[in-house]
Amino acid sequence: MPVLTRLIPSPVAVDIRAGALNDLASVLADERVSQSGRLAVAVSGGSGARLRERIAPSLPGASWYEVGGGTLDDAVRLAGQIKSGRYDAVVGLGGGKIIDCAKFAAARVGLPLVAVPTNLAHDGLCSPVATLDNDAGRGSYGVPNPIAVVIDLDVIRQAPARFVRSGIGDVVSNISAVADWELSQRVNGEKVDGLAAAMARQAGEAVLRHPGGIGDQDFLQVLAEALVLTGIAMSVSGDSRPSSGACHEISHSFDLLYPQRAASHGEQVGLGAAFAMHLRGAHEQSAQIARVLRGHGLPVLPEEIGFSAEEFVRVVEFAPETRPGRYTILEHLDLTTEQIKDIYADYVKAIGS
Ligand SMILES: [Zn+2]
């Protein structure tokens, strides 16, 4: 009997718990990521510098590189610095910008990346995509998935609460993104990768239904795991389909139309997901998402992040242009300005205040 299976590109080590950072060196040695201990560690000047002081003694063979920001130039510069160092691996220790820089640099010099995120702001911490600012604005670059992910929940707790909130919005938006994917399958025959869809949806549902709050250890555990699984779902499908649909088009539209006023990624995609679920007629799910987001202190109305109803209508109208080729409920309904206005008024009534 033939055994048909597939290999999933996934990290060899996933360590998510309080105090995980203290054992970073032994996790890497045990998993044979770095037996020699020769590591290139990319850190930010801020939170990274403090962590460096704390963990440098446990990584005697590491070289430390301060990364300026999240631009393509920063990432290329980092790659140039580490390419002749004979390292076993690159460690990205910090927020999303540092991880993305490290991902890109590691890919460029052909080394595996160890992701050690210090906040849970979005699902990029273990994804095959590096998002970097370039001359044209912002670009997404395909890279290998991290070979190991270490998330210390004690470190996560020290990050500002807004980062945890942003992660909640990003992972809950998976539910709407997968619904968009399935819509495209029904209408256009687009192939849905069932495993990727299951991983992304279950991650979203677990966070949606978890009774804990952003200060609870067990909630942070589930949120961190959900974000990691979402990243791996993207590796499984080979694109961002499992975690990015109309919710993300709406967020990109906020970013492009109002670059100076945009809120956090998670705030925008969470709001976008609640609205997109309403658009597709899933009113109960939309209200549930809105209720949960509100419970965690996330916005569900554009006014709550400083945008008027008219501005939001413009955002929704422009959203499909931000991601040509991606079919979501927005492209499916192809609404006129007047229709968007009406449905938005209906949404406001449906979710209540
Ligand atoms: Zn996202």
Side-chain angles (χ1 to χ4, degrees), residues 123 170 248 265:
D123 58 25
D170 206 14
H248 277 62
H265 178 72

Side-chain angles (χ1 to χ4, degrees), residues 4-328:
L4 296 173
T5 185
R6 66 168 162 177
L7 295 171
I8 295 170
S10 53
V12 293
V14 175
D15 192 12
I16 304 173
R17 64 191 157 87
L21 203 51
N22 298 328
D23 302 326
L24 176 62
S26 55
V27 167
L28 299 184
D30 291 351
E31 301 292 342
R32 300 177 187 201
V33 174
S34 175
Q35 280 173 314
S36 75
R38 290 188 63 86
L39 298 163
V41 188
V43 284
S44 69
S47 62
R50 285 195 298 281
L51 287 171
R52 172 179 178 173
E53 244 168 70
R54 191 181 126 195
I55 65 168
S58 68
L59 300 173
S63 306
W64 295 75
Y65 296 93
E66 235 176 68
V67 179
T71 69
L72 183 58
D73 288 345
D74 291 322
V76 170
R77 196 175 311 120
L78 177 64
Q81 289 168 332
I82 63 179
K83 73 174 180 224
S84 52
R86 297 197 183 166
Y87 299 113
D88 294 332
V90 180
V91 177
L93 172 65
K97 285 181 179 172
I98 301 300
I99 303 274
D100 279 356
C101 257
K103 268 187 199 171
F104 184 91
R108 195 156 164 130
V109 299
L111 287 173
L113 176 81
V114 177
V116 188
T118 53
N119 69 58
L120 299 179
H122 57 75
D123 58 25
L125 47 92
C126 186
S127 73
V129 181
T131 305
L132 297 164
D133 292 331
N134 57 28
D135 292 342
R138 185 163 287 178
S140 294
Y141 303 88
V143 292
N145 224 14
I147 194 169
V149 187
V150 174
I151 303 178
D152 188 331
L153 297 180
D154 287 339
V155 172
I156 297 302
R157 275 172 174 286
Q158 283 157 22
R162 68 172 192 279
F163 288 133
V164 174
R165 293 200 177 100
S166 181
I168 294 169
D170 206 14
V171 81
V172 165
S173 80
N174 290 0
I175 295 168
S176 179
V178 172
D180 281 325
W181 203 3
E182 290 169 339
L183 170 73
S184 182
Q185 183 182 44
R186 283 196 302 277
V187 177
N188 302 325
E190 182 180 341
K191 193 172 177 294
V192 168
D193 187 308
L195 178 61
M199 289 169 77
R201 178 155 43 208
Q202 291 311 312
E205 292 283 348
V207 171
L208 186 72
R209 290 162 200 282
H210 196 289
I214 60 171
D216 299 332
Q217 193 83 355
D218 57 343
F219 179 77
L220 291 179
Q221 181 86 38
V222 168
L223 177 62
E225 289 174 355
L227 290 166
V228 169
L229 289 176
T230 301
I232 297 171
M234 287 188 245
S235 279
V236 170
S237 70
D239 56 23
S240 62
R241 232 345 180 163
S243 61
S244 168
C247 47
H248 277 62
E249 290 184 337
I250 288 172
S251 177
H252 295 321
S253 183
F254 271 120
D255 292 342
L256 288 169
L257 292 179
Y258 306 102
Q260 306 304 326
R261 292 166 55 200
S264 77
H265 178 72
E267 287 179 325
Q268 293 180 169
V269 298
L271 191 167
F275 183 68
M277 291 311 279
H278 185 84
L279 277 183
R280 72 181 89 251
H283 293 174
E284 224 165 273
Q285 271 179 298
S286 166
Q288 185 190 21
I289 289 173
R291 201 165 48 242
V292 169
L293 293 179
R294 272 192 175 131
H296 289 300
L298 280 147
V300 292
L301 293 173
E303 285 88 349
E304 292 159 2
I305 47 172
F307 291 92
S308 66
E310 295 80 71
E311 286 171 329
F312 184 64
V313 169
R314 201 172 150 226
V315 163
V316 174
E317 199 171 19
F318 181 67
E321 322 243 334
T322 65
R323 199 72 209 246
R326 181 148 294 186
Y327 194 82
T328 76

